[in-house]
Structure formats: structure tokens, C-alpha cells
Amino acid sequence: MTSISLRNVTKEFARPEGGARRVLDNISLELGSDRFAALIGPNGSGKTTLLNVIAGLIRTDEGEIQSVGFTAAVPKVGYVWQNYRDSLLPWFTVEDNIAFPMRITDGTWKPGRELARKFLASFLPDVAPAAKTYQLSGGQQQMVSLLRAVASKPDVLLLDEPFSSLDQHRSWNTALYVEKIWREHPVPVLFISHDVDEAVLLADDIFLLSRNGGKLAGHVTNSMPRPRTLDMLTDSRHVDCRNAVIGFLRSENGEEAALKPTAERSQYGQV
């Protein structure tokens, strides 16, 4: 098993008017290849900053990040950015955007292009491999970004609202495909979503990040078996996890009446 461990990670950003704003405060958590992890919190709670810290794009002010069990000294990260349009290469075709990470690692285009065509046939059959990304809709562009991250066969997978531009049906079905790939090639994964059902459908552990200085408020444990299916959306265990997460989000907005699951749980904790 491979894992990424965060220990007491803290990050501050300078304020334009002077001083600093603490975005992440003493965050400790573990991402293992045996459990799919999601991250939920209100806007401004530091979710994307946490992904960028794990990816090595931002340095921490305090704390450390340890990687365990990887063959490479620096694990390869697959990242689907929230601003997915900016991450695509407009001078490349759709096929070559998906294949590009494999081109870097393999030194040749052929395997990546073959995999890209397979992905496109399965998930974007209405998109020509030779099309340019600026010719696609927002949802199609987001799918290309997601397929590229998966095609790169990463050691760690970071997903920042990867289905936000997809309609509900495609979002759920794409989520289940991501779960299928993850079960076949398990890696540490952290998935940000504002869709509670989506996060619960995918995750074993749902970490809750508070707006109050980027503190980790707890986590909800999902005991649903795998593989996950859309029928599970109405399962009582799914509903319990969903209600626990919604209760946390309501409390973040100052609402006192939090929804309670039927199962016993600690504050925003184990279900």
C-alpha cells in the first residue's frame, strides 16, 4: 500500500492590507491507496490550497508531508484543476491533450494516443480525436482534463471538482468509472466536491474542512461496500453519511438545526 501523510500542515497567505490570513491550520490526515478520500467544506476553507500543497505547488509554512511505499522518490501526481480550461493545451488536438503525459513518460506518442482514442470512444463519442479543445463545450473540456489525469497512470490522484460542468447523469456515471479505475489501480486520492451525494458515492473517508481558519473539523466514514452503484444513493448508510456532511455544512453557515443520521456518530465524525 502507498500513502501520503500530512502532519500539522499550516499555510498562511499575506493580506494586501498587511498581516497574514491562515488558510490551513495544523492539518493532519492520511491518504492511503486502500481508501478513497473526499474533502468537503464551504468556499474559502482552503480545499484547493490543500490539494496544491499535496501536489508540491505550494510550500507549507509549518508541518510536513511524507510519502510511503512509492518506487519513485517523488510520486507522480495526476491533477484535475478547478480551472480545467487553463490546463488544456489549445495547440494540441483532444487526442494529444489526453496522450501528452504518457508522451513525456514513454518518449513516444503511440501508446498514449491509442489509450486516448479508447477513452474518447467510451466517454466522448461525439468528439473527434482531431478536434481542438477550444472547439468543445465546457463539459467536454472538463472530461478531457479528467481523462488526461487518469491516462497518465499517476501515483497520486488529486481531483478538484472534476465533474462540476457535467450534467447529473454523466457526473454520476463518470464518478463510477473513476471508482472502477481506482479499484483496478489503487492510488492515494483526494477528491474535492460541492456535491454531497457525489462525494459520499465515491469516498470511504470524507474529511470536513472548516471555514474558520482552515481547520479540519473531523471526518465521516462511509462503510458502503464496493463497487459502488447508483442504487446506493437511496441506501440508509448513504443517507446517514449524507446527513452528517450536510449537518456540518449547515453548522458552518450558522444554522443550529443540523440533520442527524439514524446511526450513532460523534460530532461530524464516524458513521
Short mmCIF file of all heavy atoms in Angstrom, two decimals, residues 24 28 30 44 46 117-118 178 197 235-236 256 259:
data_model
loop_
_atom_site.label_atom_id
_atom_site.label_comp_id
_atom_site.label_asym_id
_atom_site.label_seq_id
_atom_site.Cartn_x
_atom_site.Cartn_y
_atom_site.Cartn_z
N LEU A 24 -4.70 27.19 6.10
CA LEU A 24 -4.69 25.83 6.62
C LEU A 24 -4.09 25.86 8.01
O LEU A 24 -3.03 26.45 8.21
CB LEU A 24 -3.88 24.90 5.72
CG LEU A 24 -4.35 24.75 4.27
CD1 LEU A 24 -3.36 23.91 3.47
CD2 LEU A 24 -5.75 24.12 4.20
N SER A 28 -3.71 17.45 9.85
CA SER A 28 -3.09 16.12 9.88
C SER A 28 -4.11 15.11 9.34
O SER A 28 -5.23 15.02 9.85
CB SER A 28 -2.68 15.72 11.29
OG SER A 28 -1.64 16.54 11.79
N GLU A 30 -4.26 11.24 6.60
CA GLU A 30 -3.53 10.26 5.80
C GLU A 30 -4.38 9.82 4.62
O GLU A 30 -5.57 9.53 4.78
CB GLU A 30 -3.13 9.05 6.64
CG GLU A 30 -2.31 8.03 5.86
CD GLU A 30 -1.54 7.07 6.76
OE1 GLU A 30 -1.15 7.49 7.86
OE2 GLU A 30 -1.34 5.92 6.34
N GLY A 44 -13.76 29.09 0.59
CA GLY A 44 -12.82 29.81 1.42
C GLY A 44 -12.23 29.02 2.56
O GLY A 44 -11.52 29.57 3.40
N GLY A 46 -10.07 26.53 2.22
CA GLY A 46 -8.70 26.10 1.93
C GLY A 46 -8.58 24.77 1.22
O GLY A 46 -7.50 24.18 1.18
N ARG A 117 -7.80 7.41 -27.72
CA ARG A 117 -8.91 7.07 -28.63
C ARG A 117 -9.89 6.11 -27.95
O ARG A 117 -11.11 6.21 -28.15
CB ARG A 117 -8.35 6.47 -29.92
CG ARG A 117 -7.71 7.50 -30.85
CD ARG A 117 -7.45 6.93 -32.22
NE ARG A 117 -6.36 5.95 -32.21
CZ ARG A 117 -5.09 6.25 -32.38
NH1 ARG A 117 -4.73 7.52 -32.57
NH2 ARG A 117 -4.17 5.30 -32.37
N LYS A 118 -9.36 5.20 -27.14
CA LYS A 118 -10.23 4.28 -26.40
C LYS A 118 -11.09 5.05 -25.41
O LYS A 118 -12.31 4.81 -25.32
CB LYS A 118 -9.36 3.25 -25.67
CG LYS A 118 -10.14 2.27 -24.83
CD LYS A 118 -9.21 1.31 -24.11
CE LYS A 118 -9.96 0.38 -23.19
NZ LYS A 118 -9.05 -0.55 -22.46
N VAL A 178 -14.51 6.45 -12.58
CA VAL A 178 -13.29 6.80 -11.84
C VAL A 178 -13.08 5.80 -10.71
O VAL A 178 -11.95 5.35 -10.45
CB VAL A 178 -13.39 8.24 -11.30
CG1 VAL A 178 -12.26 8.52 -10.31
CG2 VAL A 178 -13.34 9.24 -12.45
N ASP A 197 -23.83 14.18 -2.44
CA ASP A 197 -24.12 12.82 -2.90
C ASP A 197 -22.96 12.24 -3.69
O ASP A 197 -22.62 11.06 -3.56
CB ASP A 197 -25.39 12.82 -3.76
CG ASP A 197 -26.66 12.73 -2.93
OD1 ASP A 197 -26.67 11.97 -1.95
OD2 ASP A 197 -27.63 13.42 -3.26
N ASP A 235 -29.64 4.06 -0.23
CA ASP A 235 -29.34 3.17 0.90
C ASP A 235 -29.27 3.99 2.19
O ASP A 235 -28.78 5.12 2.20
CB ASP A 235 -28.01 2.46 0.63
CG ASP A 235 -27.71 1.39 1.65
OD1 ASP A 235 -27.35 1.74 2.80
OD2 ASP A 235 -27.80 0.20 1.31
N SER A 236 -29.73 3.42 3.29
CA SER A 236 -29.76 4.16 4.56
C SER A 236 -28.36 4.57 5.01
O SER A 236 -28.19 5.63 5.63
CB SER A 236 -30.42 3.31 5.65
OG SER A 236 -29.69 2.12 5.88
N GLU A 256 -28.46 26.11 13.35
CA GLU A 256 -28.39 25.26 14.53
C GLU A 256 -29.02 23.89 14.29
O GLU A 256 -28.59 22.89 14.86
CB GLU A 256 -29.10 25.93 15.71
CG GLU A 256 -28.40 27.20 16.19
CD GLU A 256 -29.09 27.79 17.39
OE1 GLU A 256 -30.08 27.19 17.85
OE2 GLU A 256 -28.66 28.86 17.86
N LEU A 259 -29.04 18.16 10.46
CA LEU A 259 -29.67 16.87 10.20
C LEU A 259 -28.88 15.77 10.91
O LEU A 259 -27.66 15.76 10.90
CB LEU A 259 -29.70 16.60 8.69
CG LEU A 259 -30.57 17.53 7.86
CD1 LEU A 259 -30.34 17.26 6.39
CD2 LEU A 259 -32.03 17.35 8.19
#
